[in-house]
Each structure stands twice: as structure tokens, then as C-alpha cells.
Amino acid sequence: MAKTAKNGKRKIVINPVTRVEGHGKVTIVMDENNNVEQARFHIIEFRGFERFVQGRFYWEAPVMVQRLCGICPVSHHLAGAKATDMIVGVDKIPVTAEKMRRLMHYGQTYQSHALHFFHLASPDLLFGFDAPVEKRNVIGVIEAHPEVAKKAVLMRKFGQEVIKATGGKKVHPTGAIPGGINKNLSLEERDALKKDADTMVEWAVEALELCKKITKGNLEFLLNFGSFESNHVSIVREDGCMDLYDGKLRAIDAQGKKIFDMIEPLEYADYLGEEVRPWSYMKFPHIRSLGKEKGWYRVGPLSRVNCCDFIDTELAEKARQEFMALTNGKPVHASMAYHWARVIELLHAAEKIRELLDDPDLQGTELVAQGTKREKGVAWIEAPRGTLFHHYEINTETDQITLANLIVSTTSNNEPMNRAVQVIADQHLKGKGESEITEGLLNHIEVGIRAYDPCLSCATHALGKMRLHVELVDAAGHLLDEKFRG
Amino acid sequence: MSKNTVNIIIDGVEIEAQEGQTILQAADDAGVYIPRLCYLKGLIPGGHCRVCTVKVNGRPASSCTFPVSEGLVIENDTEELTTLRRTVVEMLFAEGNHVCPACEASGNCELQAMAYRLGMLAVTLPFLRKPRELDATHPDVFIDRDRCILCGRCARASEAEGKRVFGFEGRGINKRIAVDGEHGLKETDLKAADRAARACPTGCLRLKRIGWKVPVGQRQYDTTPIGSDIEQKQPVG
Ligand code: SF4
Ligand code: SF4
Ligand code: FES
């Protein structure tokens, strides 16, 4: 299972079969001087994605792909639909369709971010990382802050109602179809949502205030915790504005300098490469011009706030400016800053929903556009966890998908999560000569990974207790310690 | 009572039927729903699926092929028959490869609707898990055999149109719906407008590029259970 490499460090080949079901596995490798050499968060969840849809019809993709991943089905649904727009030869879907899809997407973002912030992040932030797991969970939040917990449930429910009104179902919508949408928003549906829209904005503001208060109260520690410099990638609108649903791709470096900008979906493979590594089934995406070693990048709320020039909703823009002031406008690199960025987006989504609900275009009746069939469709979307790419090729005679390639946000964030764990483990073990995985280290790794909100079953456990398997390996390849949680 | 009518009793209720009708047809006319899958109005009954099983004078028989005659005593809506029908439907699910949430027929599918009507909550029988062939060759129609229940409606509809595009092939678990073309449906003279292309009760034989155009929630069986159209009918005569 493991081989010692020439340089004395140990290479570990993990056989996924030996992996504990539902546990996220982390390997920490120490060097000869007992410093943390490397950390790996093994992700095997995304195997076989592409195979699953090959041979199926292109119009099935938006519905089928969301079955592949239970964590953010709406994003897959919409990314799939956008790629099939291109396949049916539609470059611009009707305005009603686009606004319905946007509404669905903001609903998904809102419920996903609310869930993450309240259920998964707030226990860490409210009780401190070293609080016992028994307390540091959503039940603890419910006991200590019942009001907060109640709002969290209602926010989530609101997001789901938005998804249902636009997509037909709360969890697995089917509303987006190639070239458009299959329904508009009825006045009853609109009014039912509208009556809560202001409250949802208010509660998002409260979440932001709470997050800011906690973060500022412990600023130095949080900015330092699991922090490392990196590139960031996200979609932005053509004018540089944050856009979660559509736009062009931008990559910035650690200083905020643009690596590439205004890239079109069809060009994605020219700018991003995907490397296969022997120890993982997962592909490691990287920015081609920087190479495999240096080209890794982060995606998600933090990257989006870093990449965009501004946000087009008032409250979220104010929040963005305050956030960016932390680093005088340079990219923020702290892992824990993901939480703050996430609630800025929570607020942005709430504002967007409110704005859209007032838009009569949602009651329009032109729902689907038509075009001439094409062989290839590529699209992206900013899923709650980061940029999501869908690429399909079809046989235009049979309508079957011949090739599918998906880059999931968590795959982009795999290397960043490795780095975060490495930094955290190093901060924890440094100079202590410890060769033991303490409860504290386990807690800190959990908190660090959680900041990225990976779409893995181990990380989205309803009670917020991350199922982890951490192993510590020395330079000679001996297993020093191993701990399980959950 | 005219000469060519007969009286039958279904679940204790006397019904007037036309001579030459099957029990199922007579029941339909009287607003009594007998569950069925392979029967399609206007086509010769096939008698394949056994979902329409009733008890005639105490003995099981398929109502879609059994002719009426004076004085037949029929049991239809009983616990026993519902259980039997549910088992038959369950077997159809276990034999094929049905993933309703990812199937475009969901909500418009008679098999699924029947499962709901009969109270089938889960498939308890072991799945065969035999992969079946998809025929995507035709420009406008596809056959996804994973969802075929071998009801033969497509074959009978095609025959009625004088085309014979479809037929059965093989036996037992190897039985499959075959087409009159060596390299698939594209070599047959099936047209999208044919009744045969719309006769399928499931998501198996379908027109292409329809998918989810009709929103979930607005599909045929989303709001009313299968059979309600018949049950709402005013009895004839
Ligand atoms: S054909 Fe009917 S029963 Fe089969 S998967 Fe489709 S909806 Fe479900
Ligand atoms: S294709 Fe459809 S209509 Fe034909 S036998 Fe199969 S299920 Fe019946
Ligand atoms: S409907 Fe009578 S046997 Fe199928």
C-alpha cells in the first residue's frame, strides 16, 4: 500500500476500498525534522460522473446530473441546462427563462449558505474551535441561541420554496430545459414568496453582523488560522461585477493581479488543465499558464469576493467593501474568511431574490428559444461552493451524449484544502515534537476543511459533526498515529 | 332490457353490458375502473400484463380479454386482488431498470401511476439488474428498453396502422421488444406521428426532445390518480 520514495519521504497510495465509509480521510506526512511536509485530504466521491451520462440523451443531462451529487443538485441542474442551451443552438434564452433560472439559483445559494453558516460554521465560531464536539454542533446552537437556530430553519425553507416555485420540486428541480425554462412564476407563487422577501434580507444582515462580530472579536487568530496565499478563480460579469449565474472566467494571483480574464466557456480547456495523480481518482485542475505545481487555485465565496470588482446589490456591496478593507483591497487569503464571504453572498442572494420578485419579466410567457443543434456545449455557474463546469459533446444524429466532463468546485478546492490542513497541522505540531493526533488537532483540521464547505457526505452531516479519519505518517513512512471521529 | 345487453355484477353492483364487450370495457362504460397496463382503448386486447385480473364467479381471469355474459359475478376492488396486482406491478419494476426521478415520463407514466394507485411503497423483490439496450437511431423516437414492460401496445398499435414496426423476440427473461430493422428503429417506417409512437404506457418508447417540457406538478398523474377519468364518467344507460 505504501512505498518509500527515493527522497526518503513516503508516498502513500490509498486504496479507496480500505477507506472508512463516509469518512473524510486525511494523511499528514512529516519530514525528517518533524515538520509537516504535506497533507492530503483524499476525495474519491466524484468518480464515474462522466460515465453515468454517456449514452444518455442531452435533454436528460440537466436532470440526470443532479442525481450524481446529492449536495448541490440545483447547481448541476442549471449548469447542465446551460450547457444544453448551447447544444440546441441557443446563445440567448428568453429573458423570462433567464430570470427564472437566476431566481432558482439565488434560492439555492441562499438556502445552501444559510445551512452552512448556521448549522456548520456557527458552532465553530460561537463556541470556539476547541469546544468539545458534543457541544460544537447545531444542537449546541439551538440550546444556546434558539432564535438564531429558528431563523436558520426558516431561511432554508424559504430558499427551498424559491426552488420549488421555479423548478417544480424543492430539492431536485426539473424546471430548466434546453433553451429555457418550463414554467414562469405565477402571481400566487410570487406573492407567497414576496411576503417573506424583506425578512430574508433582514435575517441575512443579522447573519452578517453575527459573523462579523465573532470574526472581529478574534481577528488575528482567525486571519492566521489555516491561511496561505493562492490564486483565485471565479466567474464575473463583463463589467467585473459579481455574478453567480453567468459571466466570463477570471483568475487572479495572490496579489490580485489578473492571470486571465473574460474567458468564454468554450475556451475553458485552453486555460485550465486537469491533472490525474496516481494516489487519487480525482483530477486536479490547474491554471495552465502556471503549470501543475503552481497553477492550483481556490474557488468559492472567498474567491468570488476576491475576484469581483463590485457587487450590484447595495447591502452586499457595502459588506464587500468592509471585508476587502481588511487587506486594503488585496485578496484575502485566510481560510476562515470563507465564512464572512459566504454571508456576504447570502445577503447578495437575498437582495437579488427580492429584486427579481418585483420584476414582471417573471410572468412572461416566452419560455424557450430554439436554434440549430450543435455538437458541443460548455457552461459554468458559480455553485454555492465554487465554479462548476459542465461540458458535453453529442452525436447530433442520435442526440446521445458521447462525452461529458465536469469540474466540480470541491475538486478545484482539493489542493487548497490540502494546504489548509498542512498549515493547520504545522501550526499545531510545530516545535512540539508531538507525534500524536490530539483532540485539538482533530478539531482544527475539521474546522479548516469545513471553511471550504466541501460537497462531501462526510462534511455535510446534518449535525455538523464531520466524520474524519486522520493519519500521521513520519518521514520513514511509519504510521505514527491514526484517529477516527464520527 | 334489449336483446344484446347482458347484466353482470361487479363488486355487488349490477351493471348493464353490451354483448361482445369484455368485462373491462363494460366496467369502463359503467364508470368502474379496473386497473390495467397492456390494454389500450381502440386496440385489440393483448392479455399480457395480468394487472386487470378480476375474479369471475370465483376464479381469476384477465378482464381485458374475458367476454361478458349474463349473470357473471365479478370481484374487482378487493384487498386480495389489489395485493395480487401490486405484486405484478412490483415484478415489472424489479424486471426492468426504473429510475423514476431521472425519467422524463415520471408523472405521465402509467406504470408509476399504477404503483401509486395500488399503494406500492417500495420494490421488495430482488432487482434483476439486467442492462437492456437503448435504441437512439431514429431521428424522432427512442426506445429505452430499461423501462419496457413488454405490454405489446406499441406492436398492436403499429399492426393496426398496417406497419408492424414492433414485435416480441426471445423468451422468459430474455424476451424483448424488437423492431423491424436490422440496425434499429431508423430502418423502420415508423413516423413520429404514428399512434405506435405514442402508445407506450411508460418512458420506454417516446418522442425525442420532449424531456421535461411539461413541468413536474402539471403532469397527467401529478394531481389525479390513474383511473380517475373512468371513475368520473357517468354510467352509460
Ligand atoms: S418508465 Fe415509469 S416507472 Fe419506469 S422509470 Fe420512468 S416513470 Fe418510473
Ligand atoms: S415499448 Fe412500451 S409499448 Fe412497447 S412493449 Fe415496451 S412498454 Fe409496451
Ligand atoms: S390489461 Fe389485461 S392483461 Fe394487461
Side-chain angles (χ1 to χ4, degrees):
Chain A
M1 215 183 116
K3 298 182 216 102
T4 304
K6 282 195 203 89
N7 58 8
K9 280 153 220 142
R10 192 106 133 150
K11 262 194 198 148
I12 300 167
V13 185
I14 300 296
N15 175 357
V17 180
T18 63
R19 188 171 175 271
V20 183
E21 194 56 47
H23 280 63
K25 180 164 180 170
V26 175
T27 305
I28 301 165
V29 187
M30 311 291 282
D31 66 11
E32 285 91 346
N33 306 320
N34 263 349
N35 291 318
V36 174
E37 161 77 24
Q38 199 181 46
R40 288 171 187 169
F41 181 39
H42 307 273
I43 296 175
I44 59 154
E45 241 94 343
F46 307 112
R47 284 181 296 158
F49 251 29
E50 285 88 356
R51 281 271 189 78
F52 190 80
V53 285
Q54 262 164 31
R56 298 306 315 181
F57 298 111
Y58 68 80
W59 60 87
E60 294 181 305
V63 174
M64 284 203 160
V65 285
Q66 52 176 335
R67 299 270 148 199
L68 303 176
C69 162
I71 315 288
C72 59
V74 181
S75 308
H76 282 288
H77 177 57
L78 290 172
K82 288 175 71 183
T84 55
D85 291 342
M86 194 181 280
I87 282 179
V88 296
V90 171
D91 294 321
K92 193 148 181 43
I93 61 171
V95 58
T96 301
E98 172 163 341
K99 288 182 178 170
M100 284 293 284
R101 287 188 189 178
R102 279 186 178 272
L103 184 57
M104 191 192 303
H105 189 48
Y106 294 124
Q108 145 93 342
T109 306
Y110 189 75
Q111 73 93 15
S112 174
H113 281 1
L115 175 76
H116 187 271
F117 181 68
F118 289 109
H119 282 234
L120 303 174
S122 79
D124 293 341
L125 296 168
L126 286 169
F127 304 126
F129 305 174
D130 292 315
V133 205
E134 297 75 50
K135 190 177 170 213
R136 197 164 40 82
N137 62 38
V138 69
I139 305 290
V141 178
I142 294 169
E143 280 166 3
H145 307 268
E147 251 324 281
V148 172
K150 198 178 135 214
K151 284 177 185 166
V153 171
L154 294 173
M155 288 165 88
R156 186 137 192 256
K157 190 160 167 280
F158 178 77
Q160 287 176 334
E161 293 301 336
V162 172
I163 297 168
K164 182 160 187 236
T166 47
K169 287 199 249 166
K170 278 186 194 166
V171 182
H172 293 110
T174 49
I177 57 175
I181 193 94
N182 65 17
K183 72 186 284 287
N184 64 9
L185 194 72
S186 71
L187 292 172
E188 298 77 63
E189 287 165 331
R190 182 199 65 184
D191 294 342
L193 295 171
K194 241 180 116 155
K195 70 178 188 349
D196 294 325
D198 283 330
T199 314
M200 292 305 136
V201 174
E202 269 164 42
W203 290 358
V205 171
E206 284 173 23
L208 176 72
E209 292 308 322
L210 177 65
C211 180
K212 264 168 29 188
K213 197 175 113 200
I214 309 169
T215 311
K216 285 185 170 165
N218 203 359
L219 197 60
E220 207 184 321
F221 172 73
L222 287 176
L223 286 187
N224 220 340
F225 180 82
S227 183
F228 54 91
E229 294 200 338
S230 79
N231 309 306
H232 294 270
V233 166
S234 93
I235 302 173
V236 292
R237 206 165 70 184
E238 264 170 55
D239 57 359
C241 179
M242 171 181 276
D243 194 336
L244 302 178
Y245 173 77
D246 199 20
K248 307 282 157 72
L249 203 65
R250 171 179 284 180
I252 58 168
D253 69 13
Q255 267 57 56
K257 218 174 95 242
K258 293 187 182 80
I259 302 168
F260 57 69
D261 199 14
M262 295 299 129
I263 303 308
E264 299 276 356
L266 279 170
E267 302 172 302
Y268 88 98
D270 299 336
Y271 291 86
L272 295 179
E274 292 176 84
E275 185 204 353
V276 180
R277 293 188 193 171
W279 51 272
S280 173
Y281 282 91
M282 225 170 73
K283 289 179 286 189
F284 287 81
H286 57 272
I287 296 164
R288 275 192 194 280
S289 63
L290 300 180
K292 290 175 190 169
E293 284 304 312
K294 297 207 166 120
W296 57 276
Y297 56 88
R298 282 191 267 191
V299 296
L302 179 63
S303 303
R304 291 189 287 247
V305 173
N306 278 335
C307 280
C308 76
D309 303 328
F310 66 100
I311 300 178
D312 63 347
T313 56
E314 193 194 333
L315 301 172
E317 171 59 12
K318 239 177 80 200
R320 185 195 70 87
Q321 287 176 8
E322 190 179 348
F323 177 79
M324 295 309 290
L326 281 181
T327 47
N328 296 318
K330 292 274 178 220
V332 180
H333 290 297
S335 290
M336 296 311 284
Y338 264 90
H339 295 307
W340 190 339
R342 200 172 282 115
V343 286
I344 295 174
E345 290 188 343
L346 175 80
L347 179 54
H348 173 59
E351 288 181 284
K352 278 286 185 191
I353 292 171
R354 182 167 67 178
E355 190 182 299
L356 278 166
L357 289 174
D358 279 329
D359 191 331
D361 281 343
L362 286 172
Q363 280 77 48
T365 49
E366 196 198 331
L367 302 180
V368 189
Q370 271 161 10
T372 310
K373 217 191 286 175
R374 297 176 183 143
E375 270 171 15
K376 186 172 172 179
V378 181
W380 46 43
I381 197 164
E382 284 296 337
R385 295 160 179 84
T387 323
L388 169 67
F389 302 72
H390 277 214
H391 165 190
Y392 305 101
E393 287 177 27
I394 67 154
N395 174 334
T396 49
E397 264 164 43
T398 66
D399 293 334
Q400 286 170 291
I401 295 169
T402 53
L403 177 150
N405 190 40
L406 272 62
I407 307 178
V408 184
S409 43
T410 299
T411 53
S412 293
N413 272 341
N414 195 353
E415 188 58 31
M417 287 189 285
N418 291 345
R419 301 287 164 147
V421 174
Q422 184 186 337
V423 174
I424 289 164
D426 199 47
Q427 285 168 344
H428 211 90
L429 297 168
K430 191 160 236 147
K432 289 191 198 151
E434 271 177 24
S435 55
E436 194 194 338
I437 303 167
T438 58
E439 191 61 22
L441 177 57
L442 213 54
N443 285 343
H444 285 206
I445 291 174
E446 180 186 4
V447 169
I449 291 175
R450 181 140 58 221
Y452 292 82
D453 189 13
C455 49
L456 306 168
S457 49
C458 66
T460 48
H461 189 269
L463 286 182
K465 187 160 85 174
M466 192 182 296
R467 286 170 292 180
L468 270 183
H469 171 197
V470 180
E471 54 179 32
L472 196 61
V473 179
D474 74 4
H478 301 117
L479 184 67
L480 298 172
D481 193 15
E482 160 175 63
K483 283 260 159 58
F484 293 87
R485 152 161 313 159
Chain B
M1 196 174 81
S2 81
K3 225 180 169 192
N4 45 9
T5 64
V6 295
N7 286 308
I8 60 173
I9 294 171
I10 303 184
D11 293 334
V13 179
E14 194 172 276
I15 279 166
E16 194 172 276
Q18 311 294 313
E19 234 172 47
Q21 277 187 318
T22 60
I23 294 175
L24 188 138
Q25 285 166 336
D28 274 9
D29 285 350
V32 173
Y33 179 68
I34 303 176
R36 82 288 305 271
L37 282 174
C38 72
Y39 174 81
L40 184 62
K41 203 170 174 181
L43 297 182
I44 307 163
H48 294 295
C49 74
R50 305 285 146 174
V51 171
C52 68
T53 300
V54 291
K55 276 194 172 175
V56 182
N57 296 340
R59 308 173 82 163
S62 30
S63 61
C64 72
T65 50
F66 203 103
V68 293
S69 58
E70 184 60 38
L72 289 186
V73 178
I74 295 148
E75 288 168 53
N76 171 40
D77 192 7
T78 68
E79 186 89 32
E80 184 195 358
L81 286 167
T82 301
T83 307
L84 180 129
R85 292 166 182 159
R86 193 165 52 225
T87 308
V88 171
V89 168
E90 221 185 297
M91 283 161 75
L92 294 173
F93 272 95
E95 251 174 50
N97 301 299
H98 297 269
V99 187
C100 297
C103 174
E104 60 185 83
S106 183
N108 282 327
C109 169
E110 293 176 34
L111 176 65
Q112 183 194 49
M114 192 59 72
Y116 279 125
R117 172 155 183 143
L118 299 174
M120 188 190 102
L121 297 175
V123 178
T124 54
L125 301 163
F127 287 96
L128 269 188
R129 295 194 195 286
K130 207 165 117 67
R132 299 179 181 174
E133 209 190 333
L134 175 80
D135 185 339
T137 58
H138 193 284
D140 301 315
V141 183
F142 69 84
I143 312 176
D144 186 346
R145 290 189 178 82
D146 277 339
R147 303 167 185 160
C148 182
I149 57 168
L150 300 170
C151 69
R153 274 163 50 165
C154 53
R156 280 176 281 136
S158 185
E159 206 169 327
E161 297 174 307
K163 284 200 179 176
R164 291 175 179 264
V165 170
F166 303 95
F168 289 125
E169 200 177 73
R171 290 183 164 275
I173 62 161
N174 293 317
K175 188 168 170 185
R176 66 198 280 277
I177 195 79
V179 299
D180 182 25
E182 204 184 328
H183 301 104
L185 209 50
K186 72 159 184 239
E187 290 178 357
T188 70
D189 49 2
L190 181 76
K191 295 276 172 296
D194 290 356
R195 180 157 195 218
R198 292 143 206 277
C200 182
T202 75
C204 175
L205 177 66
R206 295 253 145 188
L207 296 185
K208 280 185 170 179
R209 297 176 293 278
I210 301 290
W212 279 265
K213 278 188 186 162
V214 177
V216 167
Q218 295 173 25
R219 295 175 167 221
Q220 196 174 354
Y221 305 119
D222 282 345
T223 42
T224 45
I226 191 166
S228 4
D229 50 339
I230 289 167
E231 285 165 328
Q232 274 151 23
K233 222 167 22 185
Q234 288 301 314
V236 186

